[in-house]
Amino acid sequence: MNGRTAVVVGGGLAGITAALRLADAGAAVTLVEARPRLGGLAFSFKRGDLWVDNGQHVFLRCCTAYRGLLQRLGVTDQVEIQRRLDVPVRDVTTGRTGSLSRAGLPVPLHLAKSLALYPHMSTAEKLATGRAALALRGLDLEDPALDRESFGDWLRRHGQSPRAVDALWDLVGVATLNATADDSSLALAAMVFKTGLLSDPGASDIGFAKVPLGALHHDAAETELERAGVRILLRTKVTQLKSAEGGGHRVELAGERLDGGSELLEAVDTVVLAVPQDEAHGLLPPGSIDRPERLLELGHAPILNVHVVYDRKVLDRPFLAALGSPVQWVFDRTAHSGLRGPGQYLALSQSAAQDEIDLPVAELRRRYLPELERLLPAARGAGVTEFFVTRERTATFAPAPGSAPLRPAARTRTPGLYLAGAWTATGWPATMESAVRSGNAAAGAARADLAGADGTAAGSASRTG
Ligand SMILES: Cc1cc2nc3c(=O)[nH]c(=O)nc-3n(C[C@H](O)[C@H](O)[C@H](O)COP(=O)(O)OP(=O)(O)OC[C@H]3O[C@@H](n4cnc5c(N)ncnc54)[C@H](O)[C@@H]3O)c2cc1C
């Protein structure tokens, strides 16, 4: 792509990835981001002395594309991946704590011991779960029928009790899919469980950042993009995308320019739209994709994070999942946030939070502080020094049955125009992994098309492949 120009719209993980890949191929790349920072939906901000992530983010060892990006950014030492999957799960109604963990055995035996000892299900439920896991493992992810059924219906057909759904399938599924089994497509759920739990024994080991997300997705990304020669325009919104008269694309920008004027990027060879689906719908030139209104049908699902700072330590592990409580997952954020002193900072990650996302802070406080006392005995009598929430109403697309045909591929019908974003057709739910995969796919398609136009080997390979 030497001598070619590219504009990437959107500086989330998809856009960062696409920009790096296009710059690697020799294009002169401009990355345009409306906000004052890179990182999109996975970012952090300062609140007093505290670094706060907009939402707790975790990844799995099987997230190879996201881990590849972390490696490229030189920040693998700033994340931690469990040596072996270990998720402590406490039921507040019985007070018992068990764990979902793996042994050093081949799949699916790696989970068998943990399931056998899991205190939150009966023996009959565990046996039925083992049978369902084997059936799930046998599903063909390429079968389009999987997208038409709900995961909940499939689980019931495979003998899963409401308790097994709560204590196991939804415990993992709600956090990864951002929807309950009843609201999830079987295709996406099967993808998550097959890849995460039933592929390689280490696939589900959990990873998370040891620093605020912004240190990875803004600071390190900005440094690497600049090193790769990418021009970064922050606080700059793309307002329109058109065909340029002499060929290529015309990208219109509205930014915080001192003269108040707008800037045009003219005759751009390649544009990657790495923005949320609603924004892409507004920017796509007519005829670029089939039935663009489908982008709006994809819908959104919210995630709420409840942040609580205690005056003492109340949680004795990095994280804990809860049953029998509105609390879903609790993370210890103390070290990441820079909190000093004897206190502890907890973040509650509440996925599929449609019923709570708009509740006033005071009501959430009334709901969650007593729940935390039920879940964490040490919280009883501890002082709360801060309580606040972060709300992401459009955290992910809704992974509902029927969502697969609504997700477009990277290549559009407009030559030189590509789509990226966790919501595009990656086969993954809306995750950091999906975002990075989509950025790779868009840049890969652009590189192949330009190589094809130039008549080089990469182009013919892509056309025949
Ligand atoms: C609270 C929360 C918790 C989550 N937890 C997890 C988790 O644990 N694990 C996981 O893997 N994923 C998680 N996710 C999902 C993950 O963050 C996203 O899937 C991923 O970051 C999406 O990246 P993206 O680049 O596709 O899109 P985005 O991050 O949405 O990036 C799009 C960018 O485009 C910019 N933009 C929009 N319009 C314009 C315009 N006109 N001009 C210029 N720029 C524009 C936006 O400002 C934004 O920066 C979570 C998300 C949230 C919100």
Side-chain angles (χ1 to χ4, degrees):
M1 292 180 75
N2 285 326
R4 301 292 194 161
T5 52
V7 171
V8 176
V9 188
L13 296 175
I16 292 167
T17 305
L20 287 171
R21 289 285 306 273
L22 292 169
D24 291 347
V29 183
T30 303
L31 174 61
V32 188
E33 167 54 51
R35 296 186 190 174
R37 48 162 182 76
L38 300 170
L41 284 168
F43 72 98
S44 34
F45 60 92
K46 201 88 194 268
R47 189 178 193 274
D49 291 335
L50 222 54
W51 273 107
V52 176
D53 284 354
N54 67 316
Q56 175 67 44
H57 278 67
V58 305
F59 59 95
L60 303 180
R61 198 184 287 283
C62 62
C63 294
T64 48
Y66 177 65
R67 289 175 57 214
L69 177 67
L70 294 177
Q71 193 152 20
R72 170 74 190 263
L73 302 184
V75 293
T76 48
D77 60 333
Q78 295 177 44
V79 301
E80 188 176 322
I81 303 183
Q82 293 182 321
R83 205 174 59 78
R84 278 195 188 163
L85 169 76
D86 187 10
V87 178
V89 184
R90 183 169 299 160
D91 185 336
V92 294
T93 50
T94 62
R96 297 183 75 181
T97 306
S99 95
L100 292 170
S101 54
R102 74 168 173 100
L105 292 168
V107 174
L109 298 176
H110 67 314
L111 298 174
K113 183 174 169 202
S114 161
L115 186 62
L117 296 174
Y118 195 53
H120 308 309
M121 286 158 60
S122 69
T123 306
E125 283 166 340
K126 291 175 192 178
L127 289 172
T129 293
R131 286 193 294 273
L134 291 179
L136 196 67
R137 199 171 170 219
L139 290 177
D140 173 8
L141 295 181
E142 302 298 319
D143 178 356
L146 266 51
D147 180 58
R148 294 194 280 272
E149 182 170 7
S150 87
F151 187 39
D153 283 344
W154 186 91
L155 289 172
R156 277 184 290 277
R157 276 204 293 118
H158 286 79
Q160 301 304 288
S161 67
R163 177 65 185 169
V165 174
D166 271 359
L168 186 80
W169 300 106
D170 267 355
L171 186 91
V172 178
V174 168
T176 45
L177 294 158
N178 199 20
T180 60
D182 279 333
D183 289 338
S184 296
S185 106
L186 172 58
L188 283 170
M191 193 274 155
V192 164
F193 282 96
K194 272 187 84 156
T195 312
L197 285 174
L198 301 166
S199 59
D200 180 82
S204 56
D205 301 339
I206 294 180
F208 36 84
K210 295 191 280 184
V211 294
L213 286 174
L216 312 176
H217 301 157
H218 175 80
D219 301 349
E222 187 177 49
T223 303
E224 183 59 16
L225 285 161
E226 282 172 354
R227 201 195 58 76
V230 175
R231 176 186 179 218
I232 305 172
L233 301 178
L234 297 177
R235 296 188 172 85
T236 308
K237 190 173 163 115
V238 169
T239 50
Q240 205 168 25
L241 205 57
K242 283 184 178 164
S243 296
E245 267 174 28
H249 304 275
R250 178 186 143 111
V251 183
E252 192 161 326
L253 312 177
E256 283 186 3
R257 284 169 47 124
L258 288 178
D259 62 7
S262 65
E263 191 181 334
L264 288 180
L265 297 170
E266 283 284 10
V268 178
D269 296 308
T270 297
V271 173
V272 176
L273 262 186
V275 297
Q277 65 266 29
D278 301 18
E279 193 73 20
H281 177 264
L283 287 172
L284 274 172
S288 300
I289 60 170
D290 273 339
R291 300 180 53 192
E293 69 281 3
R294 287 178 159 212
L295 300 188
L296 305 179
E297 290 169 26
L298 200 45
H300 298 284
I303 300 180
L304 173 77
N305 271 240
V306 176
H307 307 258
V308 190
V309 182
Y310 286 98
D311 62 359
R312 69 196 72 168
K313 190 167 176 162
V314 300
L315 173 67
D316 57 359
R317 43 192 100 206
F319 61 90
L320 178 68
L323 292 176
S325 165
V327 176
Q328 295 175 7
W329 291 65
V330 188
F331 292 85
D332 180 2
R333 301 289 313 164
T334 312
H336 322 63
S337 68
L339 179 71
R340 293 211 177 80
Q344 191 177 33
Y345 166 17
L346 303 185
L348 279 59
S349 180
Q350 302 291 118
S351 300
Q354 283 84 350
D355 295 341
E356 296 192 313
I357 195 71
D358 291 317
L359 291 182
V361 179
E363 194 167 335
L364 291 166
R365 187 184 173 111
R366 274 195 301 277
R367 173 172 304 186
Y368 279 106
L369 289 184
E371 281 300 328
L372 282 169
E373 291 186 9
R374 286 176 73 211
L375 181 67
L376 308 171
R380 297 167 199 158
V384 172
T385 57
E386 291 203 56
F387 184 100
F388 58 97
V389 302
T390 44
R391 307 172 201 264
E392 293 287 358
R393 291 178 177 79
T394 57
T396 67
F397 70 84
S403 53
L406 309 179
R407 301 175 71 185
R411 225 182 231 109
T412 71
R413 279 216 216 92
T414 304
L417 176 60
Y418 304 87
L419 290 171
W423 53 274
T424 57
T426 62
W428 284 68
T431 50
M432 300 189 287
E433 177 70 8
S434 182
V436 175
R437 281 175 181 251
S438 75
N440 281 330
R447 286 167 67 155
D449 289 350
L450 277 180
D454 295 344
T456 59
S460 44
S462 95
R463 281 193 303 273
T464 53

